Amino acid sequence: MRMHAAVAALIFAFATPSPTAAAPGGERALRIPGVGTLHLPAPESWRAGVRGNDDGIPPTVALSPASGEPFTLELTAFPIPPAKRAKLLGRDALRAQVQRMADDVARNAVEKSLALAPIGGEKAGFYFGATDRAPKPGELPYLVQGALALDRETACLFTLLTSGPRSPVVPRALELLRRARLDHAAQAASIERRGDAYRIALPEGLGSLAFPAAALGIEQKDDARPYYMLTDGKTGLNVSFNFEPAQDCRSSEACRDLFSARLKKLYPGRRDWREARIGDVFVTESTDPGPKGIRLDQHHVNAHLVVNGVWIDVHLSKVKYRDSDRAMFVDFIRAIRTEPTR
């Protein structure tokens, strides 16, 4: 059983793995972009990390065993807008949401009815357990799923997959959720212009990058995500910077290959796909000809940098692209400077 559509819909309704850091008392500290640092009392034998966000879905904390009985535990934490906190983080609202989740899962469960149970402890939240009626080969058959309030402003959805209801992982995972603690204090990312260059400071003081300002102006700025988009009104060049933990890839080339595979699935209508290297930076290039009847010729270059465990996707694009424009793309990428500060 996988996280179903109701859970994904809840994430979008609420919303506006990198290596974990050691913490006192055997805790695992995981930095969740835009949320804070989640402290989990996970055993040292459990692997823990944060998967990057795609399509606007918040990053997900993933835990699994280094050895022994297989299981996966995934947590998605996200802030609730102030106007909705009283409505969405109360016990009645959480119970109703988990009931909808259970009703959806029950269609493919062995159990005839799925009873809800409180998460316990000081946190408001509920969960249920269900056995997959027809698990696919290699899939874990038993699911524990629910929702809880991590604090007065943050909700959390969780999904545990394991071998069965009597697995010792189940009570350990529930205790982990009861004791989970979120620290909102964090050093945010930022962007500023300094003379003839822009400088982006990465979150948590993990480093910085600089690039020529030229005629670029900031169009979108989100320090919490973080995400930045700039446009050059003279040349028509658009540049955006997206950041996520470098968990599934650790080098420019590996991140390029991973992202290129994603893009080709998402945009089958693009043409002139090309993987290249510009200096020490690996890139993917493609062109969007535009919808039928409209000549767009929008060229895209995604350049990939890795700084202190942060994967930076630098996306350059230009409409009505000509071959002579490529030098502008190449020069910009070559001019980017990164600096790990710790």
Side-chain angles (χ1 to χ4, degrees):
M1 293 181 184
R2 301 183 183 276
M3 186 175 289
H4 49 80
V7 178
L10 176 64
I11 292 174
F12 283 109
F14 281 162
T16 38
S18 61
T20 63
E27 287 186 340
R28 313 288 280 280
L30 299 104
R31 174 64 190 153
I32 306 176
V35 178
T37 300
L38 183 63
H39 299 268
L40 298 174
E44 293 184 1
S45 60
W46 289 13
R47 292 190 295 251
V50 180
R51 289 207 303 264
N53 52 321
D54 294 310
D55 298 328
I57 298 177
T60 296
V61 173
L63 300 100
S64 61
S67 60
E69 179 185 348
F71 72 88
T72 61
L73 175 60
E74 296 187 350
L75 299 82
T76 303
F78 40 92
I80 306 300
K84 296 183 178 181
R85 289 171 186 168
K87 178 180 179 181
L88 298 178
L89 290 176
R91 291 183 181 275
D92 291 343
L94 290 167
R95 181 195 292 273
Q97 176 57 41
V98 176
Q99 185 62 62
R100 289 192 290 270
M101 295 160 61
D103 292 343
D104 190 34
V105 169
R107 301 170 188 171
N108 299 307
V110 172
E111 296 83 359
K112 294 182 179 179
S113 64
L114 303 178
L116 271 56
I119 197 71
E122 299 180 355
K123 289 183 172 61
F126 297 87
Y127 70 94
F128 62 90
T131 306
D132 195 338
R133 184 184 302 154
K136 296 179 181 179
E139 286 189 344
L140 294 166
Y142 190 71
L143 170 145
V144 176
Q145 195 167 72
L148 60 88
L150 282 173
D151 55 25
R152 294 181 179 180
E153 58 187 83
T154 312
C156 177
L157 303 178
F158 60 89
T159 298
L160 170 67
L161 290 172
T162 187
S163 58
R166 296 184 179 181
S167 167
V169 174
V170 175
R172 295 181 78 177
L174 293 173
E175 181 62 19
L176 176 146
L177 291 165
R178 295 185 193 104
R179 295 170 56 192
R181 178 172 58 87
L182 186 62
D183 181 4
H184 292 279
Q187 180 180 343
S190 63
I191 184 171
E192 62 177 336
R193 180 165 181 163
R194 294 181 177 179
D196 59 356
Y198 279 102
R199 179 182 179 274
I200 296 177
L202 303 185
E204 300 298 308
L206 290 173
S208 65
L209 62 86
F211 54 93
L216 289 168
I218 298 175
E219 295 291 329
Q220 294 185 45
K221 177 177 179 287
D222 185 342
D223 292 336
R225 187 179 169 183
Y227 173 83
Y228 305 107
M229 179 178 176
L230 303 93
T231 298
D232 187 324
K234 294 181 179 180
T235 64
L237 179 67
N238 300 305
V239 184
S240 66
F241 298 84
N242 191 62
F243 307 81
E244 64 179 87
Q247 175 170 316
D248 297 325
C249 59
R250 300 298 177 90
S251 68
S252 173
E253 183 176 17
C255 291
R256 187 277 310 273
D257 292 346
L258 178 63
F259 198 74
S260 179
R262 293 180 186 174
L263 287 178
K264 289 176 180 178
K265 290 181 180 179
L266 288 171
Y267 303 106
R270 289 188 186 177
R271 55 176 171 78
D272 300 332
W273 288 96
R274 176 183 180 188
E275 280 78 36
R277 179 176 179 175
I278 300 174
D280 294 329
V281 180
F282 289 81
V283 306
T284 296
E285 298 186 48
S286 62
T287 301
D288 181 0
K292 187 176 181 180
I294 300 176
R295 186 71 179 271
L296 189 63
D297 289 336
Q298 184 175 21
H299 194 66
H300 299 267
V301 175
N302 290 85
H304 302 276
L305 310 169
V306 178
V307 179
N308 267 356
V310 178
W311 173 8
I312 308 168
D313 168 31
V314 185
H315 177 203
L316 294 84
S317 68
K318 184 181 183 300
V319 175
K320 296 182 179 179
Y321 175 83
R322 298 180 179 180
D323 290 342
S324 58
D325 292 324
R326 191 169 190 277
M328 175 174 60
F329 285 64
V330 171
D331 290 345
F332 183 90
I333 293 170
R334 289 186 181 277
I336 296 173
R337 296 291 178 263
T338 62
E339 179 182 356
T341 56
R342 71 181 189 190

